[in-house]
Amino acid sequence: MKAAGSSSWAARASELWVADVRTGETRRLPVADAALPSWSPHGRRIAFFQRLGHVAQGHVWTVPVAGGEPAAVTSGSTRNWSPAWSPDGRYLYFVSDRGGAMNLWRVRMDEESGRTLADPEPITTPATSLAHVSLSADGRQLAYSSVLVTSNIQRARFDPVRGAVMGEPEWITRGSQRWANPDPSPDGESVVFYSLVEPEGHLYLTRADGSGRPRQLTGDSASDRMPRWSPDGNGIAMFSNRSGPLQIWKIRPDGSGLTQLTHAPGNVAYAVWSPDGRRLAGMIAALDRGIITYTFASRTYQRLTDYGQWPVWLPDSRRLLFVSGGKAFYIVDGETKQVRRVFSVTRDVIGPPQLTRDGRTVYFSRRVTEADIWLVTLP
């Protein structure tokens, strides 16, 4: 029999199923969210990774193959994933950042009950970020991938009349820092974005051409995301959890004047006005489920697409630029609903686009992942 987990776990909750390869019979195990399943050597339990909420954080669990209550292997505020059993069932190896960087750990296990028999212990490797663990049948060797993920800001020339990206994008930031969600200032002189380095969510400001060092605007333990300039350039709005649920806050470009703007009972959603002020654009949830608009005069909603997220208006107040699947930018006509792809990547991941006020430059983040395969001989 074989355990199967959905390959879309990075985007949404996934399920854990068991399939009999002889008969084709399948059944679902009662876990809320599961990915990267690993059978125990004697076929008693399945280890899996479970996310926490909508962030890249989670824990390792095991569940009986026959069904029953899952048992937690890890806990706390660390990230733990990619479990792999030792061939004798005495240890469960997993990847965790509990030591500061994402590296290899193991914990002694009771394979029958799923109980941990000791605290996790590090198996230090030279990898800066480790993933996808696999042990040999004799338990003497372990293979893993050493992953380097960078996320930097790019900009490209854009033709707002034809709705086309012109030429190759250029890098605004470089290096191992990870940045996301850039927004250019109204005067086109600066760009603001936030950091993906833990703790996630500090705002930074830099020159639009990338010269100089980024200047930090927010800090402490709060998470500040999705910065957006005010039309006059005197303030920057952002989502922040510094008062609990995500609310809209603002701050001045010099880092002063931090003020909470909304006091909604729950998380505030994403929406953006058209330049002429007649319509509002948004998205269906945050899982690439489509672009919608609201017209103030008629008080009506219109669904433009059944895929895509993070729309931004073109200067004509009719067309919208959006991203889908982290792989392509599209333009949708708000009147005809016609959609056209205007830019795409293959192995990288691109973030939400943002246009300058004249629509002639587009900014976005680009995530690049590189990896090597390593082999470790265990003691």
Side-chain angles (χ1 to χ4, degrees):
M1 301 180 76
K2 182 179 180 182
S6 169
S7 63
S8 62
W9 64 269
R12 62 197 68 191
S14 54
E15 300 172 349
L16 185 60
W17 290 74
V18 174
D20 190 316
V21 296
R22 296 166 298 181
T23 66
E25 179 183 356
T26 62
R27 59 185 175 88
R28 180 183 174 185
L29 293 180
V31 295
D33 183 29
L36 303 177
S38 175
W39 281 91
S40 67
H42 301 100
R44 294 168 182 161
R45 304 186 74 84
I46 297 174
F48 61 92
F49 156 71
Q50 184 179 74
R51 291 182 307 158
L52 298 177
H54 296 290
V55 297
Q57 185 180 15
H59 286 298
V60 174
W61 295 69
T62 68
V63 65
V65 172
E69 287 296 318
V73 176
T74 64
S75 61
S77 60
T78 57
R79 288 185 290 175
N80 310 269
W81 68 300
S82 193
W85 290 91
S86 63
D88 57 10
R90 296 177 57 202
Y91 288 94
L92 186 63
Y93 289 79
F94 61 95
V95 179
S96 177
D97 65 355
R98 61 186 56 226
M102 196 64 72
N103 220 299
L104 183 64
W105 292 70
R106 73 176 184 179
V107 61
R108 286 184 57 206
M109 296 289 298
D110 179 350
E111 184 186 351
E112 185 67 36
S113 66
R115 290 186 300 109
T116 58
L117 303 179
D119 292 333
E121 57 180 339
I123 308 295
T124 305
T125 72
T128 56
S129 183
L130 184 147
H132 308 301
V133 178
S134 178
L135 282 102
S136 61
D138 60 8
R140 298 294 305 276
Q141 292 185 307
L142 181 144
Y144 65 88
S145 60
S146 177
V147 183
L148 175 63
V149 179
T150 60
S151 181
N152 280 286
I153 307 301
Q154 287 194 308
R155 71 174 181 180
R157 291 186 298 116
F158 190 82
D159 186 333
V161 177
R162 294 195 299 121
V165 174
M166 310 293 290
E168 289 297 317
E170 60 178 332
W171 295 101
I172 300 303
T173 65
R174 295 179 180 273
S176 60
Q177 259 319 57
R178 297 178 62 191
W179 311 110
N181 298 111
D183 189 44
S185 60
D187 62 9
E189 295 296 321
S190 303
V191 59
V192 65
F193 42 82
Y194 79 91
S195 171
L196 292 176
V197 177
E198 299 294 338
E200 179 180 314
H202 292 165
L203 264 57
Y204 287 77
L205 188 68
T206 193
R207 296 189 182 97
D209 61 2
S211 61
R213 293 176 58 86
R215 175 166 54 87
Q216 187 170 350
L217 296 182
T218 65
D220 60 48
S221 60
S223 179
D224 305 314
R225 312 175 193 173
M226 297 296 296
R228 294 292 180 264
W229 287 90
S230 62
D232 60 9
N234 292 326
I236 297 170
M238 59 189 172
F239 289 128
S240 179
N241 66 355
R242 55 185 62 245
S243 63
L246 284 178
Q247 301 291 331
I248 298 178
W249 289 64
K250 73 172 182 178
I251 192 170
R252 296 191 185 99
D254 62 5
S256 66
L258 183 63
T259 307
Q260 185 172 349
L261 298 181
T262 64
H263 296 81
N267 291 330
V268 176
Y270 173 85
V272 59
W273 294 80
S274 60
D276 61 12
R278 296 179 179 179
R279 285 188 289 182
L280 198 66
M283 58 188 181
I284 305 294
L287 298 176
D288 211 59
R289 291 173 53 195
I291 308 302
I292 59 172
T293 59
Y294 175 79
T295 303
F296 291 102
S298 61
R299 297 184 178 182
T300 57
Y301 291 92
Q302 185 178 36
R303 184 164 186 169
L304 301 182
T305 69
D306 58 5
Y307 62 93
Q309 55 191 148
W310 308 114
V312 57
W313 290 97
L314 268 66
D316 60 10
S317 295
R318 172 169 173 165
R319 295 169 297 164
L320 288 148
L321 178 69
F322 65 92
V323 65
S324 179
K327 292 297 181 182
F329 293 154
Y330 296 84
I331 284 181
V332 59
D333 190 306
E335 303 296 335
T336 66
K337 297 186 180 181
Q338 290 184 333
V339 181
R340 180 168 53 87
R341 188 172 67 180
V342 297
F343 179 73
S344 64
V345 295
T346 52
R347 59 186 298 260
D348 300 337
V349 177
I350 51 178
Q354 281 295 315
L355 293 167
T356 52
R357 297 308 185 264
D358 60 7
R360 296 188 179 279
T361 305
V362 59
Y363 288 81
F364 56 94
S365 63
R366 186 163 184 164
R367 190 175 77 203
V368 179
T369 302
E370 298 177 308
D372 295 315
I373 303 299
W374 289 74
L375 191 64
V376 174
T377 299
L378 297 173

